[in-house]
Amino acid sequence: MLRKRIRVLWLRAQIVQLQNLPSHLYLVLSWVSFQPSGYGVYVYPNSFFRYEGEWRGGKKHGRGKLLFKDGSYYEGDFVDGEITGEGCRHWALTGNTYTGQFVLGEPQGHGIMKYQAGGHYEGELFRGLREGHGCLVDADGQVYWGSFHDNKRHGQGQMVFRNGDKYEGNWVRDQRQGHGMLRLADGSTYEGQWHSGVFSGQGSMAHCSGVIYRGIWINGHPMAQATRIAILGPEVMDTAQGSSLMLTVQLQQDSGEVATSEDGRELEISTGVRYVQLPAYSEVSFFRVDDGLGQTPIQTPFGFQCISYPLSSPASEGPEPRAALESASTDSLLPDGDPGGPPAGKHEPRCPGSRRRAERGCVQFSDVRLGPPPPGYHAILFLEGLHEVGSRPRGQDHRGMTPVAQGPPGGSRLDGVATVEPAAEAFPGEYVIMIRDVTTPPFLGHTLPTAFKHLRVLARGAGQQPHIPREDPEALS
């Protein structure tokens, strides 16, 4: 009897000791069999817990498995009744599984967490949270290597994103912040300051198009980015027939300041000739263009339209007729895709030197020379007697005027108006210079609007501008 009473008292003492376990391990045991040390199976009164494993001194100690009624479980090491050591924990509610080190029932140390939603984490943990150094692969396959704090990316780290972009630098609570470098999948790179996951502060971008911007960024946008193209010089430029021009072009900000923070933006020069339909001659213009060329008039900011016209090649001093025709004709309505490319189905040879890359926001085009009219362009010139048109009495018929052709004699007749055979240089008249942003792909997805300059070509030896017919309703009534 005495030995039996001592045994009962010892069992009660063990139960009291088990009741002092942490709340997440609080178990009230009902013994199926009692074995102070060795291997045993224990079922708990609420039937939610079940333990199978080793015991020592009445405590779970050694290898064992703790099962939960909802399907969760822990299998691994126990020390003096605590989940401590190496083990595997599965949570039925989330579907997550952790394999690694435990301290007092919580994942702590080094381990691998596999997530039901996809992805996994391998590295250091503290009290169940990512803490220290580790590697996180998310459900989208994005990979982060680096430091963690309070379960978030924090400190130095690098990440490969789903689209192929790579970042290496500082993180603050899951956001890129501080100094870092981003290598984009398209070949562009950014190195500089970040805030809340976007470029912010001093930084430099080398764009895949060849554009380089060095300066201040605000909320992911360059503060001193170019927004327009400006052709320097008078509002209307005059040049003598057969002469060449030198043009200075600036990339400007909204404020009008030169965008010196930009290098490498590609600009292309092209020209056009004024396109005029005289009311009295519905099929007469300065240049009659063969229908097969399919020229589309380009709207200019000067109140008239133009059709594309070629530049002369400095290397050969000969024209590149299709260059300006095809590039300028697409200026007002650029095709989808490459903004600097030719229309679909057309080959676009270009005049050598027609493209330049900006340096510190400036570009210079030297030896700009208009070529002769290309094949399919037939000049129709009214250069004599037109200064009297405006002074004639209203209603007087001007069909008696004799159009004078500048250039070689001969030519065909169209409604009584002389046309001129191809010449060796541009005829006097009104032209337009156009500078297009053909950077490919567009820098940060934005193409600058085309810049225009009004150009008048004067006849050789002329002391003033040639008289050009205007679409004046009074003069042509």
Side-chain angles (χ1 to χ4, degrees):
M1 288 294 294
L2 180 59
R3 292 184 61 185
K4 184 175 181 180
R5 184 170 180 79
I6 292 173
R7 185 183 180 89
V8 170
L9 291 174
W10 188 89
L11 284 173
R12 287 179 179 176
Q14 296 303 313
I15 292 174
V16 169
Q17 188 175 15
L18 289 171
Q19 287 175 338
N20 291 328
L21 291 172
S23 58
H24 62 280
L25 294 176
Y26 176 69
L27 309 173
V28 179
L29 298 177
S30 173
W31 298 97
V32 172
S33 62
F34 174 75
Q35 189 175 4
S37 298
Y39 184 90
V41 177
Y42 299 88
V43 180
Y44 301 85
N46 61 7
S47 72
F48 189 80
F49 302 101
R50 175 186 173 88
Y51 174 76
E52 301 176 8
E54 298 176 343
W55 287 77
R56 188 179 71 180
K59 297 179 181 179
K60 298 183 289 292
H61 191 91
R63 298 292 295 180
K65 186 172 185 179
L66 184 64
L67 299 99
F68 304 83
K69 196 172 184 179
D70 66 353
S72 303
Y73 66 85
Y74 167 80
E75 184 172 10
D77 293 337
F78 291 82
V79 176
D80 290 333
E82 297 284 0
I83 295 176
T84 298
E86 295 283 339
C88 176
R89 175 79 158 91
H90 175 74
W91 292 265
L93 182 62
T94 61
N96 299 339
T97 301
Y98 170 78
T99 303
Q101 297 175 330
F102 288 80
V103 174
L104 298 178
E106 294 182 310
Q108 188 162 314
H110 186 274
I112 300 174
M113 181 77 78
K114 296 182 178 180
Y115 303 101
Q116 176 67 29
H120 65 274
Y121 170 78
E122 181 174 2
E124 298 171 340
L125 297 99
F126 182 75
R127 294 184 177 178
L129 302 177
R130 295 187 290 267
E131 186 77 27
H133 192 273
C135 175
L136 175 65
V137 180
D138 67 16
D140 294 324
Q142 302 181 124
V143 184
Y144 170 84
W145 299 271
S147 297
F148 290 85
H149 175 66
D150 197 23
N151 221 39
K152 293 180 171 59
R153 293 165 290 185
H154 191 91
Q156 276 291 121
Q158 53 184 306
M159 185 164 182
V160 177
F161 295 87
R162 180 174 54 181
N163 61 0
D165 294 350
K166 298 178 181 179
Y167 172 81
E168 182 175 1
N170 290 330
W171 297 75
V172 175
R173 299 187 64 81
D174 265 349
Q175 297 279 359
R176 288 171 285 184
Q177 190 154 314
H179 185 272
M181 173 177 281
L182 176 67
R183 294 179 174 86
L184 293 145
D186 64 8
S188 303
T189 61
Y190 170 84
E191 183 173 10
Q193 296 300 305
W194 295 72
H195 185 76
S196 298
V198 297
F199 312 150
S200 189
Q202 186 73 28
S204 174
M205 169 173 278
H207 195 253
C208 59
S209 64
V211 178
I212 298 175
Y213 174 87
R214 304 177 184 89
I216 301 297
W217 297 73
I218 298 176
N219 293 328
H221 301 283
M223 186 181 74
Q225 181 184 8
T227 58
R228 65 184 181 219
I229 303 171
I231 306 173
L232 302 187
E235 185 176 346
V236 180
M237 298 181 68
D238 289 338
T239 185
Q241 187 179 13
S243 299
S244 62
L245 296 168
M246 180 177 289
L247 296 175
T248 299
V249 180
Q250 290 182 347
L251 304 179
Q252 296 182 351
Q253 307 172 44
D254 286 331
S255 62
E257 296 182 22
V258 181
T260 56
S261 298
E262 274 195 27
D263 286 323
R265 193 183 287 268
E266 190 172 18
L267 303 182
E268 182 180 62
I269 185 171
S270 60
T271 54
V273 61
R274 181 169 179 173
Y275 181 74
V276 180
Q277 289 288 79
L278 300 178
Y281 300 91
S282 60
E283 296 184 9
V284 174
S285 63
F286 285 120
F287 280 90
R288 178 173 59 83
V289 182
D290 290 348
D291 293 338
L293 295 180
Q295 283 295 299
T296 302
I298 304 165
Q299 187 61 49
T300 72
F302 313 123
F304 60 81
Q305 293 179 323
C306 69
I307 51 177
S308 56
Y309 192 87
L311 286 168
S312 178
S313 167
S316 63
E317 292 300 330
E320 295 284 347
R322 298 302 297 170
L325 304 190
E326 294 179 359
S327 64
S329 64
T330 60
D331 187 81
S332 55
L333 293 174
L334 296 177
D336 292 336
D338 179 359
K346 290 189 178 182
H347 175 65
E348 185 185 1
R350 295 187 181 87
C351 173
S354 64
R355 290 191 173 189
R356 294 279 191 276
R357 287 196 178 268
E359 293 183 12
R360 293 186 61 80
C362 293
V363 176
Q364 192 169 75
F365 291 93
S366 58
D367 198 23
V368 176
R369 191 187 303 267
L370 296 175
Y377 275 46
H378 308 285
I380 302 172
L381 304 180
F382 297 81
L383 298 178
E384 292 184 15
L386 290 180
H387 60 281
E388 301 173 358
V389 172
S391 60
R392 285 199 308 274
R394 179 184 290 271
Q396 181 176 340
D397 188 1
H398 64 284
R399 290 178 181 267
M401 291 192 305
T402 301
V404 177
Q406 186 85 8
S412 59
R413 305 284 296 179
L414 174 66
D415 293 338
V417 180
T419 62
V420 180
E421 293 301 320
E425 57 189 23
F427 290 103
E430 289 187 278
Y431 296 81
V432 175
I433 296 174
M434 294 167 282
I435 305 293
R436 289 197 302 151
D437 177 8
V438 293
T439 307
T440 306
F443 180 53
L444 299 180
H446 177 65
T447 298
L448 301 181
T450 300
F452 295 84
K453 178 65 72 173
H454 192 175
L455 175 67
R456 293 184 299 198
V457 176
L458 309 180
R460 289 182 182 275
Q464 57 183 3
Q465 68 180 69
H467 297 285
I468 306 297
R470 308 277 179 171
E471 295 183 83
D472 184 350
E474 246 184 74
L476 298 175
S477 61

